Amino acid sequence: MTSLVLDKHVSEKFPKNEAFGHNGFITISNQIFNFLKGPILKLRLYIPNMALDSFQEVDQWILSLSRDGVRELVLINKNRRYQLPCYFFRCLELRMLELKSCIIKPPLDFQEFLYLENLLLKNIAFGANLHGAIINLPQLKTLKLDACTNVYNFKIKSTKLFRLVVLTCPDATLLELLHSKCLSVVGIVFLKPIQGVERVNLASLLSNMLCLADLFIDGYFLQQAFEARELRIRCRLFTYILSYLLPYLVW
C-alpha cells in the first residue's frame, strides 16, 4: 500500500466518537502509520483544528516519509502554522508538494529538489535563515503562492516554469521567475497597494515572454500605464481577475 489519504472527510468522523479522545484523529493516524509496512509514496494529510500543544506526531510521520522516498505530499494544516522539521528537506524524491499553514526554514546547506514539478503553497511563512540562498528546482513547472509572507526569502531557480500564480503575497519578488522562457500562464494579484514591492514595465516584460498565452494581473504590479499597441504578443487582461484564477487553485 503506497498511497494514503487522511483527508477532511476522515477527520470529521472522530469528534463524533468520544472513544478516540480529544485528539482522536492524531491518535488513529499515528496507529495507521505505525501499522503500515513498506514506503508511503503518496500522502494526503488534513490536520483539523484541535488546539495541538505540539506537532510531535506529525514530525515523526515526516521523518518516516523522508526515509521512504515520498513522491507526492499534500499537507493541509488547520492549526497554527506548523514548522517543517529539518528532515522534511531530505524528501528529495518529491514530484508534487502542497502545503498550507506551515513555516519553511530549510537547513543552511539545503540546495535543491531535483525532481519537484508542482509546488503549491498557501499561508506559508518563509524563514530568514535562507540568507538569499537560491534553491534549485530544475523540473518545476507549476508554482502557486497564496497569502504567503516573507516571500523575498524564497529565491528559486527554475528554467522550466510553465505556470506562475501569486495571490496576495505582499513582499513577493518575482522578476527572476518572470524571465523563464517557458512561462505560458501568469497570474499576479496584490489587491491593494504595496509599499516597496518591485514593479515592472509591462511592455518590456512581455517582450521577453514568447510562450505566454494567458496573463492576469492587477495594476499594483505595473510601473506605468501601457497601450495595447506596445504589446508584442497577444494576451488577455480581465478586470475581475480572481474569477478566472480560481480554477488554477486547488484550495
Side-chain angles (χ1 to χ4, degrees):
M1 181 175 178
T2 59
S3 299
L4 180 60
V5 177
L6 299 171
D7 59 9
K8 183 177 181 180
H9 301 291
V10 177
S11 68
E12 289 175 345
K13 297 179 182 296
F14 293 100
K16 301 176 183 178
N17 192 331
E18 297 181 357
F20 294 112
H22 175 62
N23 289 340
F25 178 76
I26 293 293
T27 301
I28 297 301
S29 298
N30 200 40
Q31 292 183 20
I32 292 174
F33 274 93
N34 291 334
F35 176 78
L36 289 176
K37 304 299 181 182
I40 299 175
L41 301 182
K42 298 180 181 180
L43 172 65
R44 183 174 183 89
L45 178 64
Y46 177 94
I47 306 176
N49 188 353
M50 298 177 293
L52 291 175
D53 295 329
S54 71
F55 289 91
Q56 181 178 356
E57 291 87 354
V58 183
D59 287 345
Q60 291 300 313
W61 304 342
I62 298 295
L63 177 60
S64 177
L65 294 173
S66 70
R67 294 169 175 170
D68 292 340
V70 62
R71 296 189 177 187
E72 296 185 13
L73 174 61
V74 177
L75 175 57
I76 308 299
N77 173 35
K78 302 299 290 185
N79 300 268
R80 71 183 190 278
R81 282 174 171 166
Y82 164 54
Q83 181 168 329
L84 296 169
C86 60
Y87 31 83
F88 164 79
F89 299 94
R90 302 175 193 166
C91 300
L92 299 179
E93 299 296 323
L94 279 170
R95 269 68 170 175
M96 193 281 286
L97 175 63
E98 178 182 346
L99 300 173
K100 181 176 181 180
S101 296
C102 296
I103 300 174
I104 296 180
K105 292 184 177 181
L108 295 179
D109 58 350
F110 179 75
Q111 297 181 344
E112 56 194 4
F113 281 120
L114 287 177
Y115 307 110
L116 189 62
E117 297 181 1
N118 298 293
L119 179 59
L120 299 84
L121 304 175
K122 184 173 184 178
N123 191 26
I124 301 298
F126 296 97
N129 62 324
L130 289 168
H131 294 296
I134 297 178
I135 298 176
N136 188 28
L137 304 175
Q139 301 300 323
L140 189 67
K141 296 179 175 64
T142 298
L143 173 62
K144 301 175 184 177
L145 304 174
D146 185 357
C148 298
T149 57
N150 300 332
V151 183
Y152 56 85
N153 287 325
F154 183 56
K155 298 181 179 180
I156 67 174
K157 178 181 179 182
S158 176
T159 58
K160 295 184 178 181
L161 191 63
F162 175 82
R163 180 180 290 113
L164 173 66
V165 177
V166 180
L167 299 178
T168 59
C169 297
D171 49 17
T173 54
L174 306 166
L175 291 183
E176 293 182 1
L177 292 178
L178 291 174
H179 289 156
S180 175
K181 296 181 179 180
C182 298
L183 272 177
S184 179
V185 177
V186 176
I188 302 173
V189 180
F190 290 127
L191 297 180
K192 61 181 180 180
I194 304 297
Q195 296 295 326
V197 72
E198 58 179 347
R199 291 181 173 82
V200 298
N201 180 295
L202 185 61
S204 175
L205 175 66
L206 294 178
S207 66
N208 296 320
M209 302 172 70
L210 302 180
C211 296
L212 189 64
D214 294 288
L215 174 66
F216 315 94
I217 59 175
D218 62 6
Y220 301 118
F221 187 64
L222 300 182
Q223 187 178 48
Q224 60 186 29
F226 64 91
E227 297 180 3
R229 65 172 180 269
E230 293 179 286
L231 304 183
R232 298 185 183 181
I233 65 175
R234 297 180 60 186
C235 64
R236 292 175 290 172
L237 301 177
F238 293 85
T239 303
Y240 193 57
I241 303 166
L242 287 181
S243 64
Y244 192 94
L245 280 177
L246 287 177
Y248 289 102
L249 301 177
V250 298
W251 304 291

